[in-house]
Amino acid sequence: MIQALLDKGLKPAVRTKETIRMSIKHPLRKLSKENWERYGKVRYMVEQLFGSIKQKVGSSFNLLRKDLARKMAIACAILWNF
């Protein structure tokens, strides 16, 4: 999985479990752990932002006209994918 991310040109930042008894030995997993420590906080900030947008906009539309409901759904999809 981590090699597939590297092949696509992405930086792997997958959370890996490490304990006192079991350390990370594979170099790709070590790279992933370093990137997680660097970028992990940013990921949670972005997820909180999208969660706030979803709560404000909502996930269902109480509209009688189908054309307005479609426009609202497209607008929300654009916001969610922004």
Side-chain angles (χ1 to χ4, degrees):
M1 180 170 103
I2 296 172
Q3 185 62 43
L5 293 173
L6 286 172
D7 292 341
K8 291 181 181 181
L10 302 172
K11 292 183 180 180
V14 180
R15 191 175 199 171
T16 45
K17 186 175 182 180
E18 182 178 30
T19 63
I20 294 172
R21 296 178 185 164
M22 292 179 53
S23 63
I24 299 171
K25 296 174 183 157
H26 198 276
L28 290 178
R29 290 176 63 96
K30 285 182 182 181
L31 174 68
S32 179
K33 181 181 182 259
E34 291 169 6
N35 286 335
W36 175 260
E37 290 173 354
R38 188 176 304 138
Y39 302 116
K41 291 179 182 178
V42 176
R43 176 184 169 191
Y44 287 116
M45 289 171 48
V46 170
E47 287 181 1
Q48 288 176 355
L49 172 72
F50 285 117
S52 298
I53 291 171
K54 283 185 175 183
Q55 285 180 351
K56 298 288 183 194
V57 175
S59 59
S60 64
F61 313 115
N62 296 327
L63 298 173
L64 296 176
R65 293 176 41 189
K66 286 184 181 180
D67 60 333
L68 291 177
R70 284 189 189 122
K71 289 177 184 177
M72 185 75 162
I74 291 170
C76 288
I78 290 170
L79 279 175
W80 290 339
N81 291 320
F82 180 63

